[in-house]
Amino acid sequence: MCLLFFRSCHGRVRENGVKKRLTVGDLVVDLAARTVARGERALDVSGRTFDLLAALIRADGAFLRHEELAKAAWPRADEVTNEAIAQRVRLLRRALGDDAANPQYIENRRHDGYRVCARMIELAADDGASVMRRGTAHWLAVLGLAALFVAGLAMKVSAPPIADPILERARAYALTGEEADNRRAIELFEQKLGDSPENAAARLGLSLAASRRACRFDDDPAWATRARSLAASLLEESPRDARAQFALASSDDCLGRIDDALSGYQRAIEFDPSKIGPRASAAYLLQVRGRLHDALAAENALADLASERVRAAHDLQITRCLELLGFVRSAEARLAARVRLDPVEPHAVAAYARFLMSHRNMARASAVIVAAREQGAISAELTSVQAEVAWRQSGRAAALAFARESAELAHRGTWALTLANLIDPQQADRAAMRVRIDQLRNRIGAGDQRPELQLEIAALHFGLDELDRAHGALDASITQGFRDAAYLEASPVFQPLVSSDVGREILQRARDAAKRERTKVLAASWWSPSLIEVNAL
């Protein structure tokens, strides 16, 4: 009863207590004017980001879950993904100067959602005098927490005992897919290892979380090196442990050691053929290496996946293979269908927009991105594609803002910063571009085989008017497996580079390699026309 009373009263506070202007910690927020300031300085909080902040403020300190935030901040969207909300929260935190690991304004709690954790005081409209508004809400929250505590005790009586609460909590955090939760998982795994240094489950969990931190969240590559060391120690103890082998391959994958990672994933499959993770990861790396026949064969063998989340990524990988093999009409139909199903999933929208740009449909590519962003989709990848489309469609000036936004969204910059330098050559930091080339070459020297590193080097050398070096790096990317000739011809970054006689010869190598793979696919025993049947999609 107490918990129900807390929720219903809290709802009335949010609906009837409409705030106009208030302080949130050291910030002044004007909901009517849609402004946020710290002292005399206005902060850049606008659009969907402000809508998110306003929704959290109106909740009066209560947690808002995914569906509540989506309804409040994305009222016109049919479906809003967790990643779209997480990305928007990252933008908000960045604008406010908040730290997810030690939040001063926006708190995230697994299962509960997000809330404003700073003290909120409403400002009177006439003279700015403040009136406390959180007293009732605070005590209701205390009552609610007490009720939750009692309910938790009741559940513990009947629920089966948890073997290791720290590990269970760490695994739960690691599975959310959010950066802050991944950091909490790492802290908990490290806490467990502090008490029990040889604990195999903690070492495995920490290895996977550390790889995720380095790759998915663009943190220091040293995390991937640490992940590799942990996985290797587990394999020394249990040489045929499929999970440890997968963790080792994941760390190699993260470090760009594609051939080592492929071998590792294949060993993990040998140790436990039932696991989907190593199969899907191996299929993707085969595609990266330009082995399109092998990649599509591996994807075809994974057609009946149980997880909806895995199935979505699997479908995008098949679509990418079909595009590179020249089944363009089928790839377009698949991408359009994917975006219709999930119009705010940034990765799918970016893939569709990049496809449209590659096939010279700039207006449609721009419209797809704008529609998705209006509904809340945002990511560094998506805004980076938007910058290229805007550059090709309207010129450099139109693209620069998107490139800078992409650089802000990317944790460690990389390609987004390179793109910004290339778009505005008058303001380009040539010294920084040379430093970036050295960084990329050092990674390649350390064993990183990803073709996109050579592509970025090619773009940087071209931006520095070093045409021969640019062609050499472009050629190296084709040798390492890059096959998207259509993108290179359409992208304003690479189109001038591949327009020369040397560039056209290099481009033809990519096309010829893709044609050879297509011939192998069409002759394969597993090939079925249903894979490219547009009417069946």
Side-chain angles (χ1 to χ4, degrees), residues 275-276 278-281 283 297-305 314 317:
K275 296 296 183 186
I276 290 171
R279 289 179 175 275
S281 297
E299 293 289 355
N300 190 56
L302 290 172
D304 299 323
L305 297 175
H314 163 75
Q317 286 182 207

Side-chain angles (χ1 to χ4, degrees), residues 405-480:
E405 183 183 11
S406 179
E408 282 293 311
L409 287 168
H411 295 257
R412 295 170 67 83
T414 61
W415 171 246
L417 292 176
T418 293
L419 188 58
N421 272 318
L422 296 171
I423 286 174
D424 191 359
Q426 299 301 318
Q427 300 296 320
D429 187 339
R430 295 175 72 87
M433 291 166 74
R434 293 197 182 282
V435 168
R436 179 63 182 156
I437 289 173
D438 289 340
Q439 290 173 340
L440 291 168
R441 291 206 178 280
N442 287 338
R443 285 167 61 179
I444 291 167
D448 197 321
Q449 300 168 311
R450 284 173 287 190
E452 60 262 31
L453 300 192
Q454 293 286 3
L455 277 182
E456 188 173 349
I457 290 173
L460 285 162
H461 277 308
F462 187 73
L464 292 167
D465 300 317
E466 297 167 352
L467 190 58
D468 288 345
R469 291 183 177 183
H471 280 142
L474 179 63
D475 190 58
S477 75
I478 304 302
T479 298
Q480 289 186 335

Side-chain angles (χ1 to χ4, degrees), residues 191-340:
Q191 178 185 332
K192 184 63 185 178
L193 288 174
D195 297 333
S196 179
E198 300 304 316
N199 187 285
R203 281 185 285 160
L204 177 65
L206 182 55
S207 175
L208 293 169
S211 285
R212 195 175 297 117
R213 181 166 179 171
C215 278
R216 180 168 181 178
F217 302 118
D218 297 322
D219 211 322
D220 192 329
W223 283 103
T225 303
R226 186 180 180 194
R228 195 177 196 286
S229 176
L230 287 163
S233 71
L234 290 167
L235 283 170
E236 285 180 6
E237 298 166 9
S238 302
R240 294 187 63 83
D241 186 330
R243 295 170 302 172
Q245 183 60 63
F246 176 72
L248 182 67
S250 296
S251 64
D252 281 332
D253 193 345
C254 191
L255 291 165
R257 299 171 181 170
I258 296 178
D259 291 343
D260 288 342
L262 260 173
S263 297
Y265 288 136
Q266 287 162 355
R267 281 194 294 274
I269 295 167
E270 176 191 338
F271 298 159
D272 188 347
S274 69
K275 296 296 183 186
I276 290 171
R279 289 179 175 275
S281 297
Y284 172 73
L285 290 187
L286 288 166
Q287 182 188 121
V288 170
R289 263 310 204 186
R291 295 167 56 183
L292 303 179
H293 164 272
D294 295 341
L296 192 57
E299 293 289 355
N300 190 56
L302 290 172
D304 299 323
L305 297 175
S307 165
E308 181 62 34
R309 182 177 177 182
V310 173
R311 191 180 295 116
H314 163 75
D315 186 61
L316 282 177
Q317 286 182 207
I318 285 183
T319 301
R320 179 65 170 159
C321 263
L322 294 176
E323 178 190 359
L324 295 175
L325 287 164
F327 300 109
V328 175
R329 187 163 169 258
S330 176
E332 182 174 8
R334 283 173 170 270
L335 285 167
R338 182 75 251 163
V339 171
R340 281 197 301 271

